[in-house]
Amino acid sequence: MDWRLPQRSFALAYALTAVIFTASVVMTAQVVDNQRSARIQLEIDAEAVDFAQRAAERIRESVEQLQIISLVFVAFEDVNYQQFKTIARRYLEPTDSLLILEWQPEVRDQDREDFERAARAQGIDGFTLWEPDADGNPVPAVARPVH
């Protein structure tokens, strides 16, 4: 009787079992990795939706506050810096959704020097009309009909 044939069959069966086991491990790892990727993507999507909702709420708050204060300024034609500051402090609640609010009335070029002097007299030290240069640095505003 030839014992090599059963040994060969056993070796083939063992090799086939090892290949099937390895393939199963690889496929299981891929399924787990895909599930993990899907879960991470869901978390990212949820964070993005939450961020968008918070941003929309902050924008809504800012717009609402600006609408409120604009109603006050519409009623007056000439608002000076002190009035602006008083109204802004009174009607705007402290919030991190409104980063900056500036007093920027129209100024005719022939009134520029008087306007700058009056603003400094009202408590804005070193006030001058300015604009950013090409690098974003403040420089004195060039003369124009209206600032």
Side-chain angles (χ1 to χ4, degrees):
M1 185 182 247
D2 189 4
W3 289 98
R4 285 180 284 181
L5 187 57
Q7 284 179 341
R8 222 179 286 160
S9 296
F10 180 72
L12 188 58
Y14 180 76
L16 185 59
T17 302
V19 167
I20 291 171
F21 177 75
T22 303
S24 296
V25 168
V26 169
M27 288 174 60
T28 301
Q30 283 182 321
V31 167
V32 168
D33 189 49
N34 289 344
Q35 289 173 343
R36 185 178 307 139
S37 294
R39 188 175 64 249
I40 289 170
Q41 187 61 50
L42 284 173
E43 290 173 10
I44 289 171
D45 291 347
E47 287 292 325
V49 166
D50 184 52
F51 176 79
Q53 288 173 339
R54 285 187 315 224
E57 179 61 20
R58 292 174 100 179
I59 290 169
R60 187 197 62 71
E61 288 173 2
S62 295
V63 168
E64 188 176 281
Q65 286 190 337
L66 291 173
Q67 287 172 335
I68 289 168
I69 199 167
S70 70
L71 293 173
V72 175
F73 291 116
V74 166
F76 302 100
E77 194 169 304
D78 188 26
V79 176
N80 67 33
Y81 176 68
Q82 289 300 327
Q83 291 167 325
F84 170 83
K85 193 164 75 170
T86 300
I87 293 168
R89 284 187 177 152
R90 185 174 194 177
Y91 291 100
L92 294 178
E93 298 173 13
T95 176
D96 58 358
S97 64
L98 186 60
L99 301 178
I100 190 168
L101 184 64
E102 294 181 324
W103 174 62
Q104 294 187 352
E106 279 189 1
V107 179
R108 294 181 312 198
D109 197 50
Q110 64 263 27
D111 300 329
R112 178 178 179 164
E113 287 183 29
D114 291 338
F115 177 78
E116 290 176 336
R117 193 175 12 266
R120 288 190 293 270
Q122 291 178 25
I124 308 174
D125 294 333
F127 181 85
T128 184
L129 296 178
W130 66 274
E131 59 194 8
D133 65 11
D135 296 323
N137 299 311
V139 296
V142 297
R144 58 178 57 90
V146 177
H147 294 276

